[in-house]
Amino acid sequence: MCGIVGAVSQRNIVPILIEGLKRLEYRGYDSCGVAVHQDGELRRARSTSRVAELHSQTAEDGIASGTGIAHTRWATHGVPAVHNAHPHFSHGAHAADGAAGRIALVHNGIIENHDELRAELKARGYTFHSQTDTEVIAHLIDHLYQGDLLAAVQLAVQRLKGAYAIAVFSREEPHRVVGAREGSPLVLGVGTQAGQGEFFLASDAMALAGVTDQIVYLEEGDVVDMQLGRYWITQRQVGSDRFETVQREVRTVHAHSGAAELGPYRHYMQKEIFEQPVAIANTLDAVTGISPEIFGDGAYRAFKEIDSVLILACGTSFYAGSTAKYWLESIAKIPTSVEIASEYRYRDSVPNPRTLVVTISQSGETADTLAALKHARAQGMTHTLTVCNVSTSAMVRECELAFITRAGAEIGVASTKAFTTQLVGLFLLTLALAQTRGHLSEAQETEHLKALRHLPVAVQAVVALEPQVIAWSEEFARKENALFLGRGLHYPIALEGALKLKEISYIHAEAYPAGELKHGPLALVTAEMPVVTVAPNDALLEKLKSNMQEVRARGGELFVFADSDTKIESEQGLHVIRMPEHYGALSPILHVIPLQLLAYHTACARGTDVDKPRNLAKSVTVE
């Protein structure tokens, strides 16, 4: 991972490759590069700086061509360094004095048998210049190459174990790029500029916005051959080494460019926090009443056939699922379990064919969640539904039912508006299941719909608390540790608040159910350990107040986000920001927003790279 762009055209495609990388920058990366077929040779530029630096480098070096590939890398094998950056060239025994061989390649994913292949290729005289698993693929294709790049790639992918999306070209064949995918996304773009006969590859259709809106989503095992004026897609026949030509639908996709203007905001994360009222309104725009059909044709039948829910997700999406568990069990009265997707498929579980498997993903391409979904289906659980922000993603295509959130492009790596719109989608799912199961009266439906429609206004009022949160952030910026507390359905919100703080400010933060304090975490509480508390006016408020007293008795300093009628007052060692109103079951959506603001402004005060935090990527397409 993290981003691929490739092209075959009669015009110079280097500006298109660079612009495509810029559109994928929001995903996070630690190096970038571009390679072209120029004057009969392989030429490339690579950098551990930003894509803008790569752009300058290609201009200075005079790199220009109609055939090329480009990549942004998030390190998995090998440290972030120029020699590990993509594209990689083959370096075989036939290449004199370590000169570049004939193959150039970029790769997203992880090759699990790279050590075995590396040993074999070293024995054949290949020289390795990186620690990456990607360089192994370049050498393997070079070894198998006999004048036909498509044939060499088809042979090579049969030897790869793991996940990959690759784009590759050969010095021997100008105007030809071959791509292949297995477990990692790759799309083909069909050029629309008259007379060019051009085609494109990308890991995300967003990279091709403004270039073409004619997109082919390659399926698992596809190998695509792009040449001037023509392309074809092949797939290996089951139980055979032979590949046959297959047809894939060309779709018109109006992808967002990802290059949204910041306007008055300092960072995309701040902008996206303030966009939440609109994002929630857009997500609710088509919802006029509660019905299973909100989630697609056949939803009513599927909902009638299930007796439990299994939620699969990672990171922030996992916390959205954890919140939804409270809703589903209290409102829809349906047993619900929530699993971290990366753990679920590697343990023995008890499958239930009457389970609705729900995946949650902003990008719809999260490798761990996709793999967990496929594992659940293999266990006989065929009723599947996704809550996702990208309608054309692999997750949506893989699931029987879907709810598309309308958060818009989220550029900041730390998720904000995607999270709150996921919660909206999951609350609608709760109501639809409750209705199907006979647990939602007309009066209750009316009440919940009224609360949902007022939600954008309520969120706007919470965002207006920003100046008060900024005052707190100046104190947090001097700390290195923090505790977050919540109870009931606000415990996952405390988890999300801690995650946000650690993601972008690099402060160590942990979250606990407040009742767990005396079972261990209380040992950490000192005056140097700020304790953030989510304090809605719900049935657990009095219990929470007792937990807060436990902190104060040990000299801890409390920072409390409290509903206006909780009767919690500011005093020495107890700081309170009052929420505008209590919002019942939807309270988690309101309470997470000041936690987002706290993390954001603390990170600003510490001078970190808010939108692109170190070591992280937006779309995690490897395990």
Side-chain angles (χ1 to χ4, degrees):
M1 60 192 280
C2 194
I4 289 174
V5 190
V8 170
S9 177
Q10 296 180 30
R11 56 175 165 160
N12 177 24
I13 46 79
V14 172
I16 293 173
L17 300 180
I18 295 294
E19 186 61 30
L21 293 187
K22 287 181 179 178
R23 294 194 178 105
L24 298 177
E25 278 191 292
Y26 75 99
R27 291 170 174 252
Y29 63 102
D30 45 49
S31 64
C32 52
V34 61
V36 300
H37 189 290
Q38 186 173 0
D39 300 326
E41 297 296 332
L42 305 182
R43 297 195 63 193
R44 71 180 168 190
R46 298 185 291 179
S47 174
T48 54
S49 186
R50 293 300 182 197
V51 174
E53 169 62 27
L54 180 68
H55 186 194
S56 299
Q57 193 176 332
T58 57
E60 291 172 7
D61 294 346
I63 294 176
S65 175
T67 303
I69 53 179
H71 192 263
T72 51
R73 174 180 186 253
W74 184 80
T76 54
H77 294 72
V79 299
V82 170
H83 68 275
N84 285 326
H86 300 210
H88 286 285
F89 291 168
S90 59
H91 295 271
H94 56 272
D97 300 323
R102 54 194 172 187
I103 299 298
L105 179 139
V106 293
H107 162 232
N108 284 352
I110 291 178
I111 304 304
E112 295 173 359
N113 60 332
H114 69 96
D115 283 335
E116 169 191 330
L117 292 171
R118 186 187 301 268
E120 175 187 328
L121 290 162
K122 280 185 175 181
R124 294 181 181 277
Y126 284 87
T127 304
F128 285 81
H129 295 270
S130 77
Q131 289 80 49
T132 68
D133 52 342
T134 299
E135 192 178 6
V136 170
I137 313 173
H139 293 336
L140 178 62
I141 293 173
D142 185 284
H143 166 62
L144 296 169
Y145 184 77
Q146 295 184 359
D148 183 344
L149 184 61
L150 175 63
V153 172
Q154 288 174 336
L155 289 171
V157 296
Q158 295 179 59
R159 299 207 54 198
L160 302 179
K161 296 178 182 178
Y164 58 82
I166 61 172
V168 54
F169 69 88
S170 169
R171 183 187 62 200
E172 310 299 329
E173 298 181 79
H175 303 302
R176 189 180 198 185
V177 173
V178 173
R181 66 151 300 198
E182 183 73 50
S184 197
L186 193 66
V187 303
L188 164 73
V190 179
T192 56
Q193 185 161 323
Q196 296 295 341
E198 58 190 11
F199 301 100
F200 307 91
L201 283 176
S203 51
D204 189 323
M206 181 184 290
L208 304 180
V211 178
T212 181
D213 61 1
Q214 299 300 294
I215 302 295
V216 178
Y217 288 91
L218 300 176
E219 297 185 9
E220 294 286 91
D222 281 357
V223 180
V224 58
D225 188 346
M226 305 190 313
Q227 300 185 34
L228 280 178
R230 60 178 183 165
Y231 76 89
W232 57 92
I233 300 169
T234 64
Q235 189 170 71
R236 185 180 176 186
Q237 297 179 24
V238 177
S240 170
D241 293 338
R242 296 181 57 190
F243 283 73
E244 61 180 2
T245 302
V246 293
Q247 300 298 318
R248 300 285 183 240
E249 178 186 0
V250 180
R251 305 184 187 186
T252 300
V253 176
H254 300 293
H256 192 285
S257 70
E261 295 295 328
L262 273 174
Y265 302 101
R266 290 177 63 186
H267 300 92
Y268 282 108
M269 182 178 178
Q270 184 187 28
K271 178 175 183 285
E272 287 154 11
I273 290 171
F274 276 78
E275 286 176 340
Q276 286 176 110
V278 173
I280 290 170
N282 289 342
T283 298
L284 290 167
D285 186 51
V287 179
T288 57
I290 303 303
S291 167
E293 278 62 42
I294 293 172
F295 300 90
D297 295 339
Y300 178 78
R301 174 189 54 80
F303 290 179
K304 292 294 286 185
E305 292 178 0
I306 65 165
D307 61 13
S308 62
V309 174
L310 168 63
I311 297 175
L312 303 172
C314 300
T316 287
S317 295
F318 174 76
Y319 297 144
S322 299
T323 305
K325 174 183 170 70
Y326 288 89
W327 289 334
L328 287 160
E329 295 197 338
S330 66
I331 299 173
K333 312 297 183 186
I334 187 167
T336 301
S337 58
V338 188
E339 297 261 7
I340 295 173
S342 58
E343 291 293 318
Y344 169 68
R345 74 185 182 111
Y346 292 112
R347 70 173 185 83
D348 292 331
S349 58
V350 181
N352 174 9
R354 293 176 61 83
T355 294
L356 176 66
V357 178
V358 178
T359 63
I360 310 171
S361 171
Q362 188 281 136
S363 68
E365 304 291 350
T366 309
D368 285 319
T369 309
L370 282 167
L373 170 65
K374 292 174 183 177
H375 176 69
R377 282 206 312 244
Q379 297 286 306
M381 293 183 283
T382 58
H383 292 307
T384 58
L385 182 152
T386 188
V387 176
C388 182
N389 194 41
V390 182
S391 62
T392 55
S393 64
M395 202 78 71
V396 174
R397 298 196 304 275
E398 291 281 346
C399 284
E400 176 187 24
L401 304 169
F403 181 85
I404 308 302
T405 59
R406 286 170 171 76
E410 191 178 62
I411 308 301
V413 167
S415 180
T416 52
K417 62 180 180 175
F419 177 71
T420 48
T421 53
Q422 284 171 354
L423 289 176
V424 169
L426 291 164
F427 191 73
L428 289 169
L429 175 62
T430 298
L431 298 182
L433 285 170
Q435 182 188 76
T436 305
R437 295 167 62 82
H439 298 300
L440 186 71
S441 68
E442 286 188 19
Q444 289 171 326
E445 178 180 342
T446 299
E447 183 181 345
H448 286 308
L449 283 172
K450 181 180 178 182
L452 283 167
R453 291 188 183 112
H454 181 64
L455 192 56
V457 175
V459 169
Q460 188 66 56
V462 178
V463 170
L465 296 173
E466 185 182 40
Q468 298 177 57
V469 177
I470 291 173
W472 283 11
S473 69
E474 294 169 359
E475 185 164 348
F476 271 75
R478 298 190 293 268
K479 307 297 183 180
E480 293 301 326
N481 301 280
L483 283 176
F484 285 69
L485 302 179
R487 297 204 72 152
L489 81 166
H490 292 83
Y491 166 49
I493 299 306
L495 286 165
E496 172 63 10
L499 176 63
K500 285 291 157 285
L501 189 67
K502 70 182 82 170
E503 276 183 310
I504 61 171
S505 74
Y506 314 145
I507 292 173
H508 173 248
E510 299 293 338
Y512 290 91
E516 279 292 293
L517 264 181
K518 53 187 169 290
H519 297 288
L522 201 57
L524 297 172
V525 171
T526 68
E528 291 302 307
M529 174 77 81
V531 180
V532 181
T533 307
V534 181
N537 189 13
D538 59 16
L540 290 169
L541 177 62
E542 294 307 317
K543 298 290 186 184
L544 182 64
K545 287 181 177 179
S546 296
N547 303 139
M548 292 165 56
Q549 290 302 320
E550 293 168 1
V551 172
R552 297 195 67 197
R554 274 76 180 177
E557 194 162 7
L558 285 158
F559 294 81
V560 184
F561 293 102
D563 285 348
S564 57
D565 50 359
T566 54
K567 297 183 173 61
I568 300 173
E569 305 294 336
S570 294
E571 54 185 271
Q572 183 68 31
L574 174 59
H575 312 275
V576 180
I577 290 179
R578 298 205 174 281
M579 301 288 286
E581 58 183 307
H582 177 58
Y583 220 64
L586 291 169
S587 173
I589 297 175
L590 300 190
H591 269 278
V592 76
I593 291 166
L595 301 183
Q596 296 170 349
L597 287 167
L598 179 62
Y600 170 73
H601 285 290
T602 301
C604 289
R606 288 169 69 94
T608 63
D609 191 343
V610 172
D611 287 332
K612 302 181 182 71
R614 68 189 183 201
N615 305 332
L616 300 180
K618 182 68 175 176
S619 181
V620 185
T621 56
V622 298
E623 285 192 68

